[in-house]
Amino acid sequence: MLTIFDKLFWLRAGLGAVTGVLAQFIFGSDYYNGVVLGLLVYLLTYYLARFVWGKNVTRQEMAKLYTSGIGTFVMLYLFFWLLLFTFGVHSLALALSFSSLPI
């Protein structure tokens, strides 16, 4: 059986990957808005967890609602955002190099 913090960890892991993909497709190389999107989604998961599971958590465990899964969220967010950015840059460069060839 998964605990509250296990569920929160996996929720943040999945949302980290999804947010990284969304940051690339919505903002592209606009780093400021991409980082703000990541922060907003992470804060949203905190308030969601506090609203849904907060009544089942003791005061001593309340700090774990902030920190559970933060590293995984950040790493998956950055991984997917940078991976898709890299694919986009290389595919754009490749497309531009082929379009400039004389036929």
Side-chain angles (χ1 to χ4, degrees), residues 24-61:
Q24 177 58 33
F25 285 120
I26 294 173
F27 300 117
S29 62
D30 185 10
Y31 306 119
Y32 178 76
N33 288 329
V35 170
V36 169
L37 176 69
L39 289 172
L40 287 176
V41 170
Y42 189 82
L43 287 174
L44 178 75
T45 62
Y46 167 72
Y47 286 112
L48 178 73
R50 190 171 172 190
F51 178 73
V52 174
W53 298 305
K55 55 190 163 286
N56 298 331
V57 176
T58 65
R59 283 228 181 251
Q60 292 81 14
E61 294 176 325

Side-chain angles (χ1 to χ4, degrees), residues 1-100:
M1 188 74 171
L2 293 176
T3 67
I4 292 170
F5 300 109
D6 292 337
K7 292 175 187 176
L8 182 59
F9 174 86
W10 287 110
L11 173 73
R12 286 183 174 158
L15 283 177
V18 169
T19 306
V21 171
L22 286 176
Q24 177 58 33
F25 285 120
I26 294 173
F27 300 117
S29 62
D30 185 10
Y31 306 119
Y32 178 76
N33 288 329
V35 170
V36 169
L37 176 69
L39 289 172
L40 287 176
V41 170
Y42 189 82
L43 287 174
L44 178 75
T45 62
Y46 167 72
Y47 286 112
L48 178 73
R50 190 171 172 190
F51 178 73
V52 174
W53 298 305
K55 55 190 163 286
N56 298 331
V57 176
T58 65
R59 283 228 181 251
Q60 292 81 14
E61 294 176 325
M62 194 61 86
K64 288 179 82 175
L65 287 179
Y66 281 121
T67 60
S68 181
I70 190 170
T72 304
F73 178 85
V74 170
M75 288 298 125
L76 283 171
Y77 169 72
L78 289 175
F79 174 76
F80 278 98
W81 190 19
L82 294 174
L83 179 73
L84 292 174
F85 175 78
T86 302
F87 284 158
V89 168
H90 287 298
S91 64
L92 178 63
L94 190 61
L96 289 175
S97 67
F98 280 124
S99 67
S100 64

